[in-house]
Amino acid sequence: MADIKTFYLGYELKNPIILASCSLTRNIDNICQAESAGVAAVVLKSLFEEEIQSELGAVSSDFHPEAYEYEYSSAGLMYGSSKYLDLIKEAKKRVKIPVFASVNCIDSEIWIDYAKSIEEAGADGLELNISYISFSVNDDPREVEKRYLDIAESVKANLNIPIAVKIGWYFTSIPYMVKRLKDVGADGIVIFNRYYQLSYDIDKEKYVPVNYFSNASETYQVLRWVGVIHKQIDINIAATGGIHNAKQILEHIYMGASVVEIASVFYKNGIKYAENMLVELNKTLDDMNISSIKAIRGKGIDTIEEFKSLERVQYMKILGTKA
Ligand SMILES: Cc1cc2nc3c(=O)[nH]c(=O)nc-3n(C[C@H](O)[C@H](O)[C@H](O)COP(=O)(O)O)c2cc1C
């Protein structure tokens, strides 16, 4: 059987499957179930910046582009910041796999001190889900980028545990942004944040969420950037978005990912489905005569130039076919 161990944020993980930050990881029983099903690590459901702010009496008026089931006005404050620390402590007592906390932040520095409490509660690492998207004509892109860098830098300066930054793809230069995040101390990069998708319901005359869960074809947008980043930047990469089967896990590893963070498939099939994915992963590697995933990590593309020319040639071929 192939060796499917991998390294991520300084930890040796027994395999590359991480249960992504989502409502499933808000619950201790699910976290235990994930460990039993073979999942190598979990990322807790994000604590939203507002949940910390509201306890301190401050409320942000900024818009969260991916608030998922979070609704500020109603059941929005899902944890309360002290409950979050309790969940970390409980998870650390009950499971042996690494438990990464997650904070969804867009602006405030209020919670940066709070990150220290997350570390003290025993989290093995912190995923910074920075989800500021510019909606204003007055937002200078450099200022937006600086906001991301400032958050990452201040957190890193205050913590001893590793940090990973989860970003979306709305950057003019994704490789540049990732390099800068690494320069200010990010140990890992999680690509990409899957923002809330909204449609307009013409019957209800309301702007409504759609495509709550991913489909498998979405992963190819992620795959490209995994490859581009891996070829140029020495940083741990967690791929997330549309990874629905073992073959896709391997595609991401070939392109350079250390791990994959999966949510939708576990909502659809149950957390226990990780067992099937692991069987499929081992079988595929055996069938391909591959001895370890370390041996194939990053083997997908030789050089960044190859990447560029391949994408351009494919595009030209498609144009040629259409003509
Ligand atoms: C219901 C739901 C809730 C989520 N909540 C969070 C969250 O709180 N923080 C976060 O960083 N990502 C959150 N995500 C995004 C997932 O962590 C993951 O990155 C994304 O769903 C892509 O993976 P998938 O295609 O396997 O679903 C959520 C996803 C879903 C489906």
Side-chain angles (χ1 to χ4, degrees):
M1 205 154 82
D3 175 2
I4 55 172
K5 290 198 281 302
T6 184
F7 278 94
Y8 181 60
L9 302 183
Y11 299 96
E12 186 182 63
L13 302 186
K14 58 189 174 188
N15 66 64
I17 301 182
I18 294 184
L19 175 53
S21 175
C22 62
S23 310
L24 296 173
T25 56
R26 240 168 80 195
N27 170 305
I28 189 68
D29 293 336
N30 286 340
I31 294 170
C32 295
Q33 201 190 334
E35 181 175 61
S36 310
V39 163
V42 293
V43 185
L44 300 183
K45 169 80 186 158
S46 299
L47 178 73
F48 281 72
E49 184 176 283
E50 284 87 339
E51 300 184 61
I52 302 164
Q53 285 180 328
S54 82
E55 294 198 358
L56 296 170
V59 174
S60 158
S61 57
D62 275 316
F63 172 68
H64 269 282
E66 46 98 47
Y68 301 98
E69 58 275 271
Y70 172 84
E71 279 176 37
Y72 195 70
S73 55
S74 53
L77 303 185
M78 289 187 298
Y79 292 114
S81 55
S82 57
K83 281 217 186 95
Y84 198 67
L85 301 180
D86 292 344
L87 179 65
I88 297 170
K89 287 180 197 155
E90 182 68 7
K92 285 305 295 170
K93 253 192 257 153
R94 302 268 299 273
V95 297
K96 292 199 174 62
I97 54 175
V99 174
F100 301 121
S102 163
V103 184
N104 182 304
C105 41
I106 45 179
D107 186 6
S108 159
E109 296 214 343
I110 290 176
W111 64 273
I112 287 171
D113 284 339
Y114 184 78
K116 195 74 202 159
S117 322
I118 286 179
E119 175 173 287
E120 284 158 8
D124 295 298
L126 178 62
E127 194 169 283
L128 293 175
N129 175 10
I130 312 181
S131 56
Y132 181 84
I133 295 186
S134 172
F135 286 93
S136 162
V137 290
N138 297 319
D139 262 350
D140 181 330
R142 280 158 294 214
E143 287 302 314
V144 174
E145 290 182 3
K146 189 172 176 306
R147 184 191 281 249
Y148 278 69
L149 298 170
D150 287 350
I151 294 174
E153 189 166 25
S154 353
V155 174
K156 184 66 188 174
N158 280 287
L159 296 191
N160 296 310
I161 52 174
I163 66 158
V165 181
K166 188 174 188 179
I167 57 167
W169 52 45
Y170 301 118
F171 290 101
T172 304
S173 169
I174 292 170
Y176 173 83
M177 194 60 207
V178 176
K179 176 165 183 314
R180 295 290 293 120
L181 285 166
K182 183 195 151 110
D183 291 345
V184 300
D187 303 286
I189 190 81
V190 186
I191 51 171
F192 290 104
N193 231 323
R194 189 169 181 273
Y195 294 122
Y196 222 30
Q197 297 178 23
L198 293 147
S199 169
Y200 190 73
D201 184 325
I202 54 173
D203 296 320
K204 293 185 185 142
E205 297 192 331
K206 246 177 109 177
Y207 201 35
V208 290
V210 286
N211 301 335
Y212 209 57
F213 298 118
S214 66
N215 66 60
S217 63
E218 286 177 31
T219 212
Y220 299 109
Q221 174 71 333
V222 181
L223 193 66
R224 167 196 292 121
W225 296 110
V226 168
V228 169
I229 291 167
H230 176 72
K231 278 293 149 220
Q232 301 177 86
I233 307 160
D234 182 18
I235 190 166
N236 285 178
I237 304 171
T240 183
I243 301 166
H244 286 210
N245 56 48
K247 184 177 153 279
Q248 290 182 315
I249 296 175
L250 287 175
E251 288 168 0
H252 281 281
I253 289 169
Y254 263 106
M255 292 311 257
S258 300
V259 291
V260 293
E261 296 189 359
I262 299 178
S264 293
V265 152
F266 295 137
Y267 275 96
K268 287 182 192 156
N269 305 315
I271 296 172
K272 223 172 151 5
Y273 190 68
E275 286 173 6
N276 302 34
M277 292 181 103
L278 285 166
V279 169
E280 201 190 327
L281 184 66
N282 279 306
K283 182 174 180 322
T284 311
L285 288 167
D286 285 351
D287 290 350
M288 292 171 74
N289 256 328
I290 292 167
S291 59
S292 75
I293 61 169
K294 284 188 199 101
I296 56 167
R297 202 169 72 83
K299 285 266 156 68
I301 287 280
D302 283 339
T303 62
I304 196 74
E305 282 68 32
E306 186 187 336
F307 222 119
K308 280 195 280 193
S309 60
L310 192 68
E311 293 227 0
R312 218 168 153 69
V313 168
Q314 290 308 322
Y315 188 57
M316 287 192 304
K317 273 192 198 158
I318 292 167
L319 288 179
T321 316
K322 295 255 187 235

